Amino acid sequence: MIDALFFGVGLVAVAAGVWRAVRARRTGAGAGLATSLIALGVALFLLADSAQAVESRLYPSLGRLLSNLATMVAAYGIEVTVAEIGGVADRRRRSRLTALAVALVVLVAAFFSTRGLPTGIGLFDELYRTNPTLVAYIAVYTLYLGFAVVDIAIVSAGAVRAGAGALRAGLGVVLVACVFALAYLVGKVVDLVADVTAEHPVARVCRGAFSTVDCALSVGFPALSVLLIVVGLTLPALPAAGRAVRDARTRRELRPLREHVVARFPDVVRLGRAGATGRERLLTTMSEINDGLLLAGIPPSTPAAAAAQVLAGAAPAATAEEVPADTAFAADVARLRAIARAVRGARSGGAASPVR
């Protein structure tokens, strides 16, 4: 059950991160978010019981160290991402990076300074009392994550008040994730104090992610927190994804009309790249079509049916009825799509062949 939870949430995080990485490569933005999501997924993969058993063959409890390092890198990336979304990316940038570097160095040094680490699952409950290096390890790890979670929560709260729509909803989900993360960190502090002060500390065994309060705090809550962070940081991207789908559909509908216009007026073709994003490619296509329509004597105020007749050579441009023009992007898209449909209808209805 626990492995399924970690691998399942990890898969969601890695898949979302890869999708964002592909988008970042195309648009030049969002690489930090992609890194954060992938690091979160990798951390959960490494922390799964079966994965730790394999990693422990290389070095005792190595999976615990690697997963903790990945978690801290992911937390830093989320800090930066939320700060960028909130418009305060330059604020405390150096302090965030310095805190991460110090925490990573301390964790690695404390881990490899500890002797007698357990093989298999990296549970240190029984070792805190006799290994001060492990106390330093878990204390620095918890403090760093607490610093990161509080920073994320503060920036998210400020951005929620100023945001709207999907951005506000996404950051609201991130705030809920911070609550679960803080509960997990408080639970770790309580467990650490109990293990250090107990005369005979005993490692806990979880039969399920929410089988007991301790298991919920140490297993279920971090998994829920990661899942909510993935959802919260993905929600603001959904409107852009929907727009990309609509733009791609519009480009497909306009392609025959563009080919027709370009065949008559080759000079309208833009030189160089059509654009890095789908919206830029759509704007290039629309600009080429509009230039071709003007060269054909079809002004923006010409109705779609009349424009199709002119393009088909069935009517001169001078006879086209004019209506009030609207230069807004959405209206221009609707106009060109209507002309494209009218041209297709004229062709299927046996209209005259275009004059070239």
Side-chain angles (χ1 to χ4, degrees):
M1 172 62 182
I2 297 177
D3 274 7
L5 182 65
F6 276 93
F7 282 128
V9 176
L11 181 61
V12 172
V14 170
V18 170
W19 177 75
R20 293 294 301 178
V22 172
R23 180 175 175 81
R25 185 174 182 181
R26 188 171 62 250
T27 62
L33 176 57
T35 301
S36 301
L37 293 173
I38 293 173
L40 282 172
V42 170
L44 289 174
F45 281 133
L46 294 171
L47 198 55
D49 291 354
S50 57
Q52 286 196 68
V54 174
E55 296 150 4
S56 190
R57 297 174 186 172
L58 300 175
Y59 192 92
S61 300
L62 179 62
R64 178 69 173 268
L65 173 65
L66 295 177
S67 63
N68 289 162
L69 296 179
T71 299
M72 291 194 298
V73 172
Y76 168 77
I78 294 171
E79 281 185 275
V80 174
T81 301
V82 173
E84 290 175 349
I85 294 175
V88 291
D90 294 331
R91 191 182 303 171
R92 297 194 303 274
R93 174 179 293 179
R94 181 173 297 179
S95 63
R96 292 189 186 104
L97 188 57
T98 301
L100 173 65
V102 171
L104 292 176
V105 170
V106 171
L107 249 68
V108 172
F111 180 85
F112 287 106
S113 298
T114 304
R115 296 293 177 263
L117 290 171
T119 58
I121 308 305
L123 296 176
F124 302 151
D125 306 67
E126 300 172 312
L127 303 176
Y128 292 132
R129 186 178 177 85
T130 57
N131 291 275
T133 52
L134 281 184
V135 175
Y137 176 99
I138 200 66
V140 170
Y141 174 73
T142 304
L143 286 174
Y144 176 77
L145 288 186
F147 164 81
V149 170
V150 170
D151 187 28
I152 292 169
I154 292 174
V155 176
S156 297
V160 162
R161 291 194 296 269
L167 175 61
R168 173 176 289 181
L171 292 176
V173 173
V174 171
L175 275 175
V176 176
C178 289
V179 173
F180 282 105
L182 287 175
Y184 158 69
L185 295 174
V186 170
K188 287 190 74 66
V189 172
V190 172
D191 289 343
L192 176 61
V193 173
D195 290 332
V196 171
T197 57
E199 188 172 348
H200 300 289
V202 179
R204 288 172 294 277
V205 177
C206 292
R207 300 184 182 278
F210 300 95
S211 58
T212 65
V213 174
D214 286 341
C215 291
L217 288 173
S218 60
V219 179
F221 278 18
L224 280 176
S225 178
V226 171
L227 179 60
L228 290 174
I229 287 174
V230 171
V231 173
L233 295 181
T234 302
L235 279 177
L238 292 181
R243 187 182 68 180
V245 171
R246 292 191 298 271
D247 287 352
R249 184 169 61 246
T250 300
R251 289 199 307 273
R252 287 196 302 270
E253 292 183 6
L254 296 182
R255 187 176 298 119
L257 177 59
R258 177 189 176 278
E259 292 173 352
H260 176 82
V261 169
V262 168
R264 292 185 60 180
F265 307 105
D267 291 341
V268 302
V269 176
R270 296 292 186 270
L271 300 178
R273 297 181 60 188
T277 66
R279 174 54 60 92
E280 290 173 347
R281 291 192 293 273
L282 175 59
L283 290 173
T284 298
T285 297
M286 293 171 60
S287 179
E288 291 172 343
I289 293 174
N290 280 322
D291 287 351
L293 293 178
L294 290 175
L295 290 175
I298 303 173
S301 57
T302 305
Q309 291 178 354
V310 173
L311 289 175
T319 63
E321 179 185 354
E322 292 193 356
V323 296
D326 188 345
T327 58
F329 174 76
D332 200 18
V333 169
R335 167 179 166 266
L336 295 182
R337 290 175 68 176
I339 293 175
R341 288 193 296 270
V343 169
R344 288 197 301 270
R347 288 177 177 175
S348 60
S353 300
V355 178
R356 300 189 181 184

